[in-house]
Amino acid sequence: STMFLVGLSGGIASGKSTVVAVLRELGCAVIDADVIAREVVQPHSRAYGQILRYFGTEILLENGKINREALGNIIFSQPEKRRLLNSITHPEILKEMLKQILKYFVLGYRYVILDIPLLFETHGLTKFMKYTVLVYCDPPAQRARLMRRNGLDAAGADARISSQLPLEEKRKWATHVIDNSGDRESTRRQVLRLHARLEDSLHFLWARLAAGAVVAGLRGLVLFLLRHFIS
């Protein structure tokens, strides 16, 4: 076998961060697409320059960083602008994700979890996942949590929820579902069961050794070239 990828997603206020916290406690390799998305639009990056070109300097904070809330308001109401932003940022995000996947492969992880909020909306990514996991909660709980978390009224919460693919629809695509409608302990037990199914006791010793040999070989080649040109 080889290291495999597990796609993790959910819906707004469905409790995905709770599940990720438990996975990290277990020592799982988790790549957060949201964190990467913030990193690739930092000032002086390639994506940053392109975003300013198409969206203007009005979306900047005083420190020169992109105001995510202001940009979010633009793309929330204008689908064509959302597609444009995605065409700028997604290639950069994917490149960084690939780098991190390689790192975890070298370290010998059995599997890597890709935390991607819109995994099921962008069907192209699911074909690279051996398994997909949906963090689900029932619609009334989702609505109540969003209203409480973001200080929204019912109409505002419904508008945010309806901008995403319904959780019931995503549930049809997922190979595993973690129901976060109950309390934290119930969710934790489900995550532990999932982790036990995905993990094994060998931790891919052969993969670590093979990758380590490749890295060691490359390091030796670099040292050889350095000595050659220095001398």
Side-chain angles (χ1 to χ4, degrees), residues 61-78:
L61 296 167
E62 290 183 2
N63 60 8
K65 292 185 178 181
I66 290 174
N67 185 332
R68 289 169 58 84
E69 183 178 355
L71 184 57
N73 289 335
I74 294 173
I75 65 172
F76 179 72
S77 58
Q78 302 180 60

Side-chain angles (χ1 to χ4, degrees), residues 1-5 105 109-112 130 200 204 206-207:
S1 300
T2 57
M3 186 185 78
F4 57 87
L5 304 179
F105 174 77
Y109 279 77
R110 168 63 164 146
Y111 64 92
V112 174
K130 185 169 184 179
D200 65 18
F204 273 58
W206 73 267

